Amino acid sequence: MRSALANLSTRHAVRQQNRNRSASLSALPPTPTSPSYDSSLAAIAASILYLNPLRSSTNLPIYIVNAAAFPSAFDVDYDSLLPYVLARLPSEEELIAGQEYEVIFFAGGQVEGATSGEKRDGPGLGWWVLAYQKLNRATRKKLQRLYIVHPRTWVRVLVGVFGTVVSPKFRRKIMHVNSLSGLAIHLPIEKLLIPPAVYLHDRKIAPEIDVPYAGAGRRAFGARNPLPRSLETGKTRLPRVLRETTSFLLMDSCVKMEGIFRVPPHSVLAGCVKEAYDRGQQWIVWKEKGTDPRQRRFAIMVQPGIDEKLLREIRLEDAYGVHMAASLIKMWYRELRDSIIPETSYPYLREHFEDPRNPVRSEDLVDLLLPASPESPLSSTSREILTRHLLPTLHAVSLQGEHNKMDPDNLGICFAMALLCGSNQLEDARMTKTIQRILSAAIEAWPELRE
């Protein structure tokens, strides 16, 4: 009897403590001009909860909650963080005016070893219950759909608490989705701004993302036509993946980064980004801080149409850096259906460039590389790609060799194998040294060749 009374007294004390805790917390953060405003908490909240750049098919704003962005409970006071997170939701004025909204909760959490060396523990269940209690009636009512992607055990427990104790109506708005492929059945995921950690967690569930409504002929890698034609002008242009990665790579904050084309990125994540370009993912954010610690500006590359404030708020961990961009450029060349250097050109290349005792002449490079050359054993498409993209890009990188340690010889070594894909791997390996000589000389002589 005494034990039962003691337990009842303890539960009552805990409930009272939670009520006091809830009453003492504000649902609104201090204004940015207030001395008590914490910019670091605001930055954390911006990475946890953000507004997707595009609306849903029913023209509703989509808010994304990224569980991977939750910091360790040892590093932040979650009670202090709560009002900053809630302030990211639609304002009371918008809700009163009739604004409805949807939420996508990527619940997979921090992937161990993906972007940091350790796994982080986020807030407890009590914090989520408290967050729900702090929402006003309009915020709860105007939520039309909550997609929970990669649900874990604690998420299902939390939903059970909300559905049975907090608000039985709330459960009807929830849709559990086990993977990004499952989410793609309900809405076009290529229009979502998806953090890298979400892709990595999804890879543990499925080897690829199946998007049933993706249009045919939109592949970026191994495309039938590597240089797509503009529908307006009819002229060929570089594919989107090369335009974005190259523009980003050649930014001043990136091109001086040591080890460009040599330092490998996260291999699984590189496959995810490749798949995103093949899928036609609209928002792929490239962001790098640069090598100069005095420089506060970031190098940023993304398709037009995304809010500048959102771009500033995106963490480096939630974007892709210069080594990922360099890796995708090499991957694009490596996966071409028809390699830049065809197997039929090997005899010609041996005859003109193999002997190391003879220096590579500019005349021979002109005959081999320029689009107007009638003697070249390379296809017109290969020569167009080399002169429009690869050679000018590598030459620009080599000009910063003092900083990035990538001179023409190093760049030739990095790219030689990516340009070969014959039927005999041993024969390709034998040709590598010759291709390295050609590339190194062409990179160095590019200003002369393009005239």
Side-chain angles (χ1 to χ4, degrees), residues 26-169:
S26 172
L28 298 175
T31 61
T33 57
S34 171
S36 58
Y37 182 81
D38 193 326
S39 59
S40 62
L41 291 179
I44 295 172
S47 63
I48 292 173
L49 177 59
Y50 57 90
L51 177 63
N52 192 63
L54 291 180
R55 289 175 169 247
S56 69
S57 57
T58 55
N59 200 33
L60 295 181
I62 301 175
Y63 289 84
I64 294 178
V65 181
N66 178 21
F70 281 108
S72 171
F74 294 101
D75 298 332
V76 67
D77 178 8
Y78 270 96
D79 286 350
S80 301
L81 176 63
L82 179 58
Y84 291 89
V85 175
L86 297 181
R88 309 280 304 177
L89 290 170
S91 66
E92 190 171 357
E93 291 77 11
E94 293 174 317
L95 296 170
I96 293 175
Q99 179 64 71
E100 298 174 335
Y101 66 102
E102 296 179 354
V103 172
I104 300 175
F105 179 26
F106 292 118
Q110 180 71 22
V111 180
E112 190 171 3
T115 55
S116 64
E118 59 184 13
K119 195 173 182 179
R120 298 196 295 259
D121 292 324
L125 295 180
W127 185 85
W128 291 97
V129 174
L130 181 61
Y132 185 84
Q133 292 173 342
K134 281 296 179 181
L135 296 177
N136 58 45
R137 184 176 181 274
T139 305
R140 302 178 192 179
K141 184 178 180 180
K142 296 298 183 180
L143 173 63
Q144 297 302 297
R145 178 68 70 183
L146 170 59
Y147 298 94
I148 300 180
V149 187
H150 306 139
R152 291 184 168 182
T153 302
W154 69 268
V155 177
R156 297 187 184 278
V157 171
L158 183 64
V159 170
V161 172
F162 284 159
T164 58
V165 179
V166 180
S167 172
K169 296 181 181 179

Side-chain angles (χ1 to χ4, degrees), residues 114-251:
T115 55
S116 64
E118 59 184 13
K119 195 173 182 179
R120 298 196 295 259
D121 292 324
L125 295 180
W127 185 85
W128 291 97
V129 174
L130 181 61
Y132 185 84
Q133 292 173 342
K134 281 296 179 181
L135 296 177
N136 58 45
R137 184 176 181 274
T139 305
R140 302 178 192 179
K141 184 178 180 180
K142 296 298 183 180
L143 173 63
Q144 297 302 297
R145 178 68 70 183
L146 170 59
Y147 298 94
I148 300 180
V149 187
H150 306 139
R152 291 184 168 182
T153 302
W154 69 268
V155 177
R156 297 187 184 278
V157 171
L158 183 64
V159 170
V161 172
F162 284 159
T164 58
V165 179
V166 180
S167 172
K169 296 181 181 179
F170 183 77
R171 176 175 288 180
R172 294 196 292 268
K173 300 181 179 182
I174 297 175
M175 179 172 292
H176 291 277
V177 181
N178 291 326
S179 66
L180 290 175
S181 297
L183 182 63
I185 297 173
H186 303 284
L187 48 83
I189 66 169
E190 78 275 9
K191 298 183 182 297
L192 299 178
L193 179 57
I194 302 176
V198 175
Y199 285 128
L200 288 170
H201 186 84
D202 196 74
R203 267 297 189 271
K204 298 170 66 176
I205 300 170
E208 62 182 14
I209 300 172
D210 181 22
V211 183
Y213 47 79
R218 297 174 62 184
R219 286 174 53 82
F221 293 81
R224 187 177 301 277
N225 298 313
L227 296 177
R229 291 191 177 275
S230 171
L231 297 177
E232 297 178 356
T233 65
K235 297 181 179 180
T236 59
R237 62 177 182 175
L238 296 175
R240 175 195 166 197
V241 59
L242 287 189
R243 297 197 305 270
E244 291 186 358
T245 54
T246 304
S247 298
F248 177 69
L249 182 80
L250 296 182
M251 289 182 175

Side-chain angles (χ1 to χ4, degrees), residues 287-305:
K287 191 171 187 177
E288 191 68 72
K289 188 174 183 179
T291 56
D292 190 350
R294 298 169 298 179
Q295 189 177 24
R296 295 186 177 183
R297 295 184 62 184
F298 290 87
I300 301 176
M301 173 57 60
V302 69
Q303 286 210 116

